[in-house]
Amino acid sequence: MSIFTVASRYAKSLLDLAEEQGQLDAVKGDIEGVVSVLKSNTELLAILKNPIIKGDKKRNILAAIFEGNLNPIILSFFYILVNKGRAAILLDIAQEFVREYNETKGIVKASVTSATALSEANLADLQKIITEEIKAEVILKNTIDPALIGGFVVRVGDRQIDASIAGKLNKLEKHFAAQGV
């Protein structure tokens, strides 16, 4: 069974449990924090993925880091993962939980790449336009790529709108190449 399938099943279980307990939003917030911690701490990830390190040691490490900082549901869930030998995919499960939460709540992630950072007003306007267009709540992230020269590229799901100068120059170059100029 693929890691994605396993991570998806565990994430769905946690999602269902949190919803049943009426703590879905609190658990989601904590899980986002866990994702951040795991992504920024390669040593912790290495420990969780190491099959030589015993489960009780992994549980103690998780308890030392997260106890008192996380919803008890999550910590208990992590202990179950460790007991079942699934600590190596804890990050995958946490990321899948956030994705499934967003899907359940109708939240769509979008990104806008621009040559320079967009102002908060521009981001808010763009977020509003995307929200109205797709009729769903949008989380918009701005990344910077000076190679775009100017303009922006918006990605929502599998759709992309390229309104960058670099994109227009590439289209022009392809047009001239097709014309044999």
Side-chain angles (χ1 to χ4, degrees):
M1 194 176 304
S2 76
I3 289 175
F4 174 77
T5 305
V6 174
S8 180
R9 288 182 181 173
Y10 278 106
K12 179 73 172 128
S13 296
L14 180 58
L15 189 83
D16 291 344
L17 177 63
E19 199 166 32
E20 186 179 291
Q21 299 283 327
Q23 299 185 28
L24 186 58
D25 292 331
V27 168
K28 188 254 187 182
D30 285 350
I31 287 291
E32 285 178 328
V34 168
V35 168
S36 177
V37 168
L38 292 175
K39 280 185 170 182
S40 65
N41 194 330
T42 55
E43 293 89 10
L44 177 58
L45 275 177
I47 289 168
L48 293 173
K49 291 181 180 187
N50 190 333
I52 297 171
I53 298 174
K54 302 281 185 220
D56 59 338
K57 191 158 199 113
K58 290 178 184 181
R59 274 191 310 278
N60 291 340
I61 290 169
L62 288 172
I65 295 170
F66 295 118
E67 198 168 298
N69 299 321
L70 289 182
N71 189 307
I73 292 172
I74 299 171
L75 209 49
S76 297
F77 183 76
F78 287 173
Y79 295 158
I80 291 169
L81 291 174
V82 170
N83 290 341
K84 294 203 173 270
R86 299 293 190 185
I89 61 170
L90 196 136
L91 176 59
D92 299 304
I93 294 167
Q95 289 174 321
E96 183 60 19
F97 175 89
V98 172
R99 191 197 67 73
E100 288 186 19
Y101 173 91
N102 288 342
E103 186 177 298
T104 301
K105 296 288 188 175
I107 300 170
V108 176
K109 286 192 174 187
S111 68
V112 59
T113 305
S114 55
T116 59
L118 297 177
S119 69
E120 291 298 319
N122 287 342
L123 283 172
D125 289 344
L126 187 57
Q127 184 172 12
K128 182 180 176 192
I129 291 167
I130 295 169
T131 299
E132 289 171 0
E133 182 69 29
I134 65 172
K135 311 238 184 308
E137 185 179 337
V138 175
I139 298 173
L140 186 61
K141 180 180 145 195
N142 183 210
T143 55
I144 299 162
D145 182 2
L148 293 179
I149 303 169
F152 58 88
V153 177
V154 176
R155 286 183 187 85
V156 181
D158 59 352
R159 293 187 291 177
Q160 176 175 304
I161 299 169
D162 188 346
S164 67
I165 293 174
K168 289 178 182 179
L169 288 172
N170 286 336
K171 286 179 190 173
L172 191 59
E173 181 180 12
K174 287 178 185 175
H175 174 73
F176 284 140
Q179 300 295 322
V181 177

